[in-house]
Amino acid sequence: MDSARRLYERFRQLIHEGAKFGVIGVIGVIITDGGTNLIKSYGVGWVTANILATIVATTFAYVGSRYWTFRHRERTSVRRESVLFFVLNGVGLLIQLACLGFTTHLLGLAGKLPANVAILVGIVLATIFRFWSYRKWVWTNKSQGPPAGHETIEPVLAPASGSTATASSQHGKPS
C-alpha cells in the first residue's frame, strides 16, 4: 500500500489532469457523436456533419481545458492559447476524419453503426494526441513549478524518506 501511495504522489498532477481531461472529453464525445448524428439526420454527409459537431465540441473543450483542467499551468495570452488549441484540435480532427473516411469511403461502410464506431475510434486516437499536445505546447509547466496547492508530475528521484542516503544527506554528511 505504501508503494502505491508513493506512486500516486509522484504522478498526482498527471492523474488529476488526466481525470479532468477525461470528464471534458466525455462531454466532448457526447457533443461530437450526438451532434454528428443530429446533423446527419438533416441530410448532411457524415464527414461534414462530423466537422461541424467537432467545432462545437472543440469550443466547449477549450473553455473547459483552460478554466478547469489546466487552470494551474503557466498562462500566456488567450490569443496564443486559443490559436494553438484550435490548430492542435485540427490535427486531432484529421486523425478522427481519417478513421471515419477510411470506414465510410474506402471500406464503403456508410451505415450508422460502422460510422459511429469509426468516429469513436478516431476520437480515442485524437484524444491521446490532444492530451499530450496540450500539456506540451498549449499549457506548459515551464515556470518555476506548480503554484501552491498543486503538485509536479515529475517522479521524485530521491530515495524514499527514512533511507540511509536521505538521512545522511539531510545532515550534510556524505552517504
Side-chain angles (χ1 to χ4, degrees), residues 7-70:
L7 187 62
Y8 170 76
E9 288 299 324
R10 288 181 181 182
F11 296 101
R12 187 175 177 179
Q13 182 179 3
L14 180 63
I15 292 166
H16 288 231
E17 285 178 351
K20 289 176 181 179
F21 187 81
V23 169
I24 297 294
V26 166
I27 296 168
V29 167
I30 293 167
I31 293 169
T32 301
D33 196 42
T36 299
N37 284 284
L38 177 66
I39 295 167
K40 173 69 175 136
S41 72
Y42 288 102
V44 177
W46 281 110
V47 172
T48 304
N50 189 245
I51 290 170
L52 295 172
T54 300
I55 289 169
V56 173
T58 299
T59 303
F60 166 79
Y62 173 76
V63 172
S65 293
R66 185 174 204 282
Y67 295 105
W68 187 47
T69 305
F70 300 110

Side-chain angles (χ1 to χ4, degrees), residues 82-160:
S82 59
V83 166
L84 270 174
F85 186 90
F86 280 90
V87 166
L88 294 170
N89 256 284
V91 174
L93 177 59
L94 291 176
I95 294 168
Q96 218 171 283
L97 292 175
C99 294
L100 182 58
F102 176 79
T103 301
T104 60
H105 295 291
L106 290 177
L107 297 179
L109 303 172
K112 194 172 189 171
L113 179 62
N116 279 288
V117 169
I119 289 169
L120 289 176
V121 168
I123 287 170
V124 168
L125 295 175
T127 297
I128 293 166
F129 168 77
R130 288 174 178 133
F131 183 64
W132 170 78
S133 65
Y134 297 164
R135 296 181 86 241
K136 179 149 180 82
W137 292 306
V138 181
W139 294 292
T140 63
N141 255 351
K142 290 181 191 172
S143 63
Q144 66 280 13
H150 292 278
E151 48 297 302
T152 73
I153 63 162
E154 310 310 322
V156 177
L157 298 176

